[in-house]
């Protein structure tokens, strides 16, 4: 797959996009085209609607137009405020997801429902919860309560900040970004960006960072850790990916969205013998569950459930005519699905009180009755099988890969080498050794969404390949992970894209060169990995020869992620410019000056080949400074 200049580099996507065109069905690409030209004020972040005197916009092209809002807010203030609000919304989404997982853990009343007891007790220990004389369910309740406290506690900083290297913690305290309770920091962004409040762009960004930190080192980390405790910590396993995982003769259920609570229950319900029997009575051979977007990542990582596709494939999945039900919870669900399902038999089922869509069937999910509700939803899908209309069109395209690289899985994998050299196991030593010796030059996280401003998947894949050939290990999450597995980059065969050093490491450790670390909230796994490596070398995250890239990002969550990564000391390359270009001060601060404060910064580069060059230069620079 090359960067061909067309809408996508994914063959299945191309095929169904053509089908959509022939059938006159509107997709994200058509709506993007109809939207051109997009509003220049919005694009630059120069439109303010924060009060009833507005909307106000700053005119950059001529000095004759307004140079300040009606209240006198400058371009710096307006741009910074808009950016901060986006970050807060992103952090809110991830954190509220984390809260729901914590609530699910809180309500567990049966030990059998806790899949990683070891991790539960480890976290209890980390948080100073005494476990002696308590049973597992009791400990789970107390851990969940502590986690829920992180959202609204009256005093004190986020507990997980302590997982960072000491130097980093000190830096956060000195620069005033060591976050307190999650909800508090997000509310503070909304307050301080209210009309007539904070006008100092640097201070607005400082508060935005505090909110972003409650995502990566707060809600997301809670989401990841507690999901592992509840549903199991991912371990390497094989998976199939792309729309070709749908099966013509089966009842196809696509779960789409983010929270694993619902999808886990659906996976279990779909295996219920009664429902499988019912499916057979309807003329199907069985029930096939596949995942999309981050929900897809969650259940693929834990159960090897096939990955149907990423953000830009959600509409196309329905156009196969083979999907009996698309079940969604929260985030990244296009409202257009309701329109498209009208042309097919597919039932769109919403399940969260936070995300209803006109035209969809709403069956509210309730964690306490999860199995019952999941069975009801699966039954809806089964009974819909006979309603298929017209021809079923499933692209042949699917690929295979190995996924499931949680931090625990990575350490276990590294132990294979440690043990043979009689070194202490359970550390990142082999990884550090490989980087120090130069066999590996460094590591890069490729994360984030799809965006019509970039060819679909093409930037993820091209960037990954460009890095692999430079002996840079790639880890990935979110829709970037879908792109990479579809392109075959998580198979052993992908070693052919690697430089000699990386290929050797992959062979020795028996790993693919691109490691799937999970969903977007699982970027918290990467933060912990970076912290472990930094602590091991006695330094800080900003010392490491690493970087992050979101070549096709679109969501507010991605902006929050980018900002907490920068504040954690990481160089973050964005393939799409955020709406900050209207203020030279804000743009310069985020792409240059911020580095002298946090050791990380943003870089904007839409071309994935040039992006790889810039990242590689950054990595070599860090190596030089480390003297390796
Ligand atoms: Ni949370 S946030 S499009 S599904 S990665 Fe995918 Fe991932 Fe972006 Fe959404
Ligand atoms: Fe205009 Fe100021 Fe109100 Fe924004 S806050 S809409 S710039 S008057």
């Amino acid at each position: 797959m090359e960067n061909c200049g067309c809408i996508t580099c994914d063959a299945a996507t191309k095929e169904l996009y053509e089908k959509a065109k022939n059938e006159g069905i509107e997709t994200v690409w058509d709506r993007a085209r109809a939207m051109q030209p997009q509003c220049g004020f919005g694009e630059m972040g120069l439109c303010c609607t924060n009060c009833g005197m507005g909307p106000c916009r700053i005119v950059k092209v001529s000095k004759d137009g307004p140079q300040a809002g009606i209240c006198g807010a400058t371009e710096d203030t307006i741009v910074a405020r808009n950016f901060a609000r986006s970050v807060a919304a992103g952090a809110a989404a991830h954190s509220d997801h984390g809260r729901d997982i914590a609530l699910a853990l809180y309500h567990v009343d049966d030990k059998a429902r806790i899949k990683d007891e070891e991790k539960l007790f480890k976290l209890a220990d980390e948080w100073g919860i005494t476990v002696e004389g308590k049973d597992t369910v009791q400990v789970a309740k107390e851990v969940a309560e502590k986690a829920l406290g992180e959202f609204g506690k009256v005093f004190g900083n986020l507990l997980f900040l302590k997982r960072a290297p000491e130097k980093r913690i000190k830096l956060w305290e000195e620069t005033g970004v060591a976050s307190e309770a999650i909800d508090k920091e997000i509310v503070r962004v909304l307050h301080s960006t209210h009309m007539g409040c904070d006008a100092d762009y640097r201070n607005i960004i400082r508060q935005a960072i505090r909110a972003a930190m409650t995502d990566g080192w707060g809600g997301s980390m809670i989401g990841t850790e507690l999901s592992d405790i509840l549903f199991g910590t991912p371990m390497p396993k094989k998976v199939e990916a792309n729309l070709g995982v749908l099966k013509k003769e089966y009842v196809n259920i696509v779960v789409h969205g983010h929270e694993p609570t619902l999808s886990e229950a659906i996976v279990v319900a779909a295996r219920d013998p009664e429902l499988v029997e019912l499916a057979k009575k309807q003329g199907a051979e069985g029930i096939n569950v596949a995942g999309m977007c981050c929900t897809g990542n969650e259940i693929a990582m834990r159960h090897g459930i096939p990955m149907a596709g990423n953000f830009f494939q959600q509409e196309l999945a329905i156009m196969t005519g083979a999907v009996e039900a698309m079940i969604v919870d929260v985030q990244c669900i296009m409202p257009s699905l309701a329109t498209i399902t009208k042309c097919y038999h597919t039932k769109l089922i919403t399940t969260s009180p936070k995300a209803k869509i006109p035209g969809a069937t709403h069956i509210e999910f309730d964690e306490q009755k999860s199995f019952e509700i999941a069975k009801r939803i699966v039954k809806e899908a089964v009974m819909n099988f006979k309603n298929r209309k017209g021809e079923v069109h499933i692209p042949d395209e699917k690929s295979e890969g190995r996924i499931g690289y949680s931090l625990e899985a990575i350490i276990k994998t590294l132990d294979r080498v440690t043990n043979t050299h009689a070194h202490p196991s359970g550390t990142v030593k082999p990884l550090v050794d490989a980087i120090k010796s130069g066999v590996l030059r460094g590591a890069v996280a490729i994360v984030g969404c799809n965006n019509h401003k970039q060819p679909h998947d093409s930037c993820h894949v091209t960037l990954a390949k460009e890095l692999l050939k430079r002996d840079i290990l790639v880890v990935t999450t979110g829709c970037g992970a879908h792109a990479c597995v579809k392109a075959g980059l998580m198979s052993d065969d992908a070693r052919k894209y690697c430089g000699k050093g990386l290929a050797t490491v992959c062979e020795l450790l028996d790993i693919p060169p691109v490691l799937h670390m999970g969903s977007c909230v699982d970027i918290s796994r990467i933060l912990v990995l970076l912290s472990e490596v930094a602590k091991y070398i006695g330094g800080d995250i900003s010392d490491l020869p690493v970087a992050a890239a979101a070549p096709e990002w679109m969501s507010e969550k991605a902006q929050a992620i980018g900002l907490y990564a920068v504040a954690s000391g990481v160089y973050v390359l964005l393939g799409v410019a955020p709406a900050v270009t209207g203020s030279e001060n804000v743009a310069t601060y985020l792409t240059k000056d911020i580095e002298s404060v946090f050791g990380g910064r943003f870089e904007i580069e839409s071309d994935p080949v040039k992006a790889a060059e810039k990242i590689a230069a950054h990595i070599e620079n860090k190596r030089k400074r480390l003297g390796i």
Side-chain angles (χ1 to χ4, degrees):
M1 297 205 285
E2 303 290 50
N3 194 349
C4 50
C6 45
I7 59 142
T8 178
C9 72
D10 179 78
T13 301
K14 242 179 247 174
E15 193 177 321
L16 285 169
Y17 174 71
E18 286 305 320
K19 180 175 191 272
K21 267 208 306 209
N22 293 338
E23 292 177 10
I25 290 173
E26 196 183 73
T27 61
V28 63
W29 290 281
D30 303 310
R31 291 187 299 272
R33 223 171 288 127
M35 198 59 68
Q36 302 310 318
Q38 286 180 268
C39 171
F41 298 107
E43 194 167 51
M44 293 192 283
L46 287 170
C47 171
C48 182
T49 58
N50 287 15
C51 88
M53 294 195 287
C56 299
R57 77 246 180 276
I58 309 282
V59 174
K60 295 281 282 185
V61 283
S62 99
K63 285 276 168 243
D64 299 337
Q67 301 298 304
I70 292 169
C71 66
T74 63
E75 58 189 45
D76 296 344
T77 306
I78 291 174
V79 165
R81 281 197 308 218
N82 287 337
F83 178 67
R85 285 191 165 208
S86 276
V87 167
H94 275 153
S95 292
D96 209 33
H97 164 164
R99 185 195 331 253
D100 281 348
I101 304 292
L103 280 169
L105 183 66
Y106 181 84
H107 285 120
V108 164
D109 49 12
D110 176 5
K111 183 176 172 239
R113 290 194 54 203
I114 290 175
K115 295 283 151 32
D116 194 339
E117 229 182 326
E118 192 188 331
K119 194 157 184 166
L120 170 69
F121 280 88
K122 240 175 117 183
L123 186 56
D125 185 53
E126 181 181 338
W127 281 352
I129 296 166
T130 35
V131 297
E132 262 155 73
K134 292 175 191 161
D135 63 9
T136 305
V137 172
Q138 181 61 27
V139 175
K141 219 176 240 343
E142 288 183 30
V143 164
E145 242 169 342
K146 193 93 173 171
L148 290 165
E150 288 299 278
F151 291 85
K153 64 185 178 188
V154 187
F155 301 111
N157 294 350
L158 280 182
L159 289 171
F160 278 142
L161 294 184
K162 290 197 196 109
R163 289 185 165 187
E166 226 155 279
K167 283 186 190 165
R168 186 63 26 187
I169 300 173
K170 225 176 127 223
L171 178 69
W172 287 335
E173 276 162 7
E174 283 166 8
T175 51
V177 300
S179 310
E180 297 171 60
I182 298 165
D183 293 351
K184 194 196 299 190
E185 299 293 358
I186 292 166
V187 165
R188 254 187 208 152
V189 169
L190 295 180
H191 176 189
S192 65
T193 57
H194 182 275
M195 188 274 154
C197 210
D198 202 347
D200 175 345
Y201 74 90
R202 281 175 195 261
N203 202 44
I204 293 168
I205 292 171
R206 189 186 60 84
Q207 182 52 45
I209 291 174
R210 291 180 66 96
M213 296 283 288
T214 70
D215 178 336
W217 297 92
S220 276
M221 208 170 272
I222 289 171
T224 298
E225 298 292 281
L226 272 48
S227 293
D228 283 357
I229 289 169
L230 260 177
F231 308 120
T233 302
M235 285 295 149
K237 53 182 61 66
K238 276 208 174 121
V239 79
E240 284 185 336
N242 215 341
L243 288 164
V245 304
L246 298 175
K247 294 179 185 165
K248 192 173 174 193
E249 297 80 13
Y250 282 67
V251 170
N252 288 299
I253 298 177
V254 175
V255 279
H256 169 30
H258 280 80
E259 292 173 2
T261 31
L262 165 78
S263 48
E264 286 279 337
I266 298 285
V267 169
V268 178
R271 287 174 187 157
D272 185 73
E274 239 175 77
L275 286 168
V276 175
E277 205 39 54
L278 187 64
K280 286 183 181 155
K281 270 199 201 124
Q282 304 302 310
E285 282 179 20
I287 305 173
N288 180 38
V289 181
M292 205 145 231
C293 281
C294 278
T295 280
N297 288 320
E298 298 272 1
I299 49 175
M301 292 271 283
R302 296 199 176 89
H303 305 287
I305 298 290
M307 299 164 67
N310 53 9
F311 183 57
F312 268 18
Q313 293 178 288
Q314 54 185 294
E315 297 176 304
L316 305 180
I318 293 167
M319 283 175 216
T320 60
V323 176
E324 274 57 55
M326 184 171 278
I327 304 160
V328 301
D329 53 16
V330 289
Q331 302 165 22
C332 304
I333 302 144
M334 292 192 195
S336 66
L337 296 182
T339 316
I340 294 179
T341 45
K342 274 192 206 133
C343 308
Y344 298 88
H345 77 302
T346 308
K347 270 204 171 144
L348 177 65
I349 302 177
T350 53
T351 58
S352 167
K354 294 171 214 168
K356 294 190 181 181
I357 301 173
T361 309
H362 188 75
I363 304 179
E364 202 147 305
F365 188 66
D366 173 354
E367 183 49 38
Q368 272 147 293
K369 285 181 264 167
S370 60
F371 189 57
E372 230 177 285
I373 296 171
K375 267 172 80 173
R376 205 179 123 205
I377 294 174
V378 171
K379 195 171 171 191
E380 288 272 337
V382 169
M383 298 313 287
N384 197 23
F385 183 75
K386 57 177 184 301
N387 298 329
R388 281 191 188 178
K389 2 177 175 172
E391 227 181 289
V392 166
H393 183 127
I394 302 172
D396 285 334
E397 208 69 28
K398 64 177 169 187
S399 55
E400 226 185 59
R402 259 189 301 163
I403 65 163
Y405 290 92
S406 58
L407 179 63
E408 289 82 348
I410 291 175
I411 301 266
K412 240 190 198 163
T413 306
L414 292 174
D415 273 352
R416 277 186 217 140
V417 207
T418 346
N419 290 337
T420 57
H421 293 286
H423 285 306
S425 62
T427 72
V428 290
K429 183 176 188 297
L431 182 62
V432 173
D433 286 349
I435 290 175
K436 269 192 182 160
S437 71
V439 177
L440 270 187
R441 305 308 293 173
V444 171
I446 300 181
V447 304
C449 330
N450 300 135
N451 186 321
H452 68 90
K453 295 176 183 173
Q454 296 278 53
H456 168 241
D457 281 0
S458 171
C459 299
H460 287 296
V461 174
T462 307
L463 177 60
K465 285 182 184 168
E466 288 291 320
L467 295 172
L468 297 185
K469 78 176 185 208
R470 292 175 169 88
D471 287 328
I472 295 168
L473 179 76
V474 172
V475 301
T476 175
T477 64
C479 289
H482 280 272
C484 289
V485 68
K486 284 187 290 165
L489 299 182
M490 293 177 188
S491 68
D492 291 339
D493 188 47
R495 283 177 203 162
K496 68 180 180 222
Y497 300 116
C498 303
K500 226 179 170 180
L502 178 58
T504 313
V505 170
C506 289
E507 201 165 320
L508 196 69
L509 291 174
D510 187 27
I511 53 167
V514 176
L515 298 180
H516 190 325
M517 289 189 76
S519 62
C520 298
V521 292
D522 291 337
I523 294 175
S524 63
R525 298 187 199 277
I526 303 176
L527 290 179
V528 182
L529 176 61
L530 291 175
S531 300
E532 288 306 306
V533 174
K535 284 181 204 167
Y536 190 84
I537 65 165
D540 194 355
I541 296 172
S542 54
D543 297 330
L544 307 176
V546 299
E552 303 178 25
W553 77 273
M554 63 83 202
S555 80
E556 289 173 312
K557 292 176 286 173
Q559 301 205 55
I561 294 167
L563 194 59
Y564 74 62
V566 166
S568 301
V570 179
Y571 169 96
V572 177
L573 186 138
L574 302 176
V576 177
V580 298
T581 50
S583 157
E584 250 163 74
N585 280 332
V586 172
T588 309
Y589 182 65
L590 292 173
T591 56
K592 289 198 177 74
D593 304 347
I594 199 168
E595 193 172 23
S596 62
V597 185
F598 294 107
R601 68 175 176 95
F602 283 107
E603 176 89 78
I604 319 286
E605 176 55 68
S606 59
D607 179 333
V609 176
K610 285 190 195 138
E613 283 163 12
K614 287 182 179 170
I615 290 171
H618 167 81
I619 283 178
E620 291 307 322
N621 207 356
K622 288 286 173 190
R623 294 187 63 93
K624 216 178 279 160
R625 269 195 248 167
L626 276 172
I628 55 173

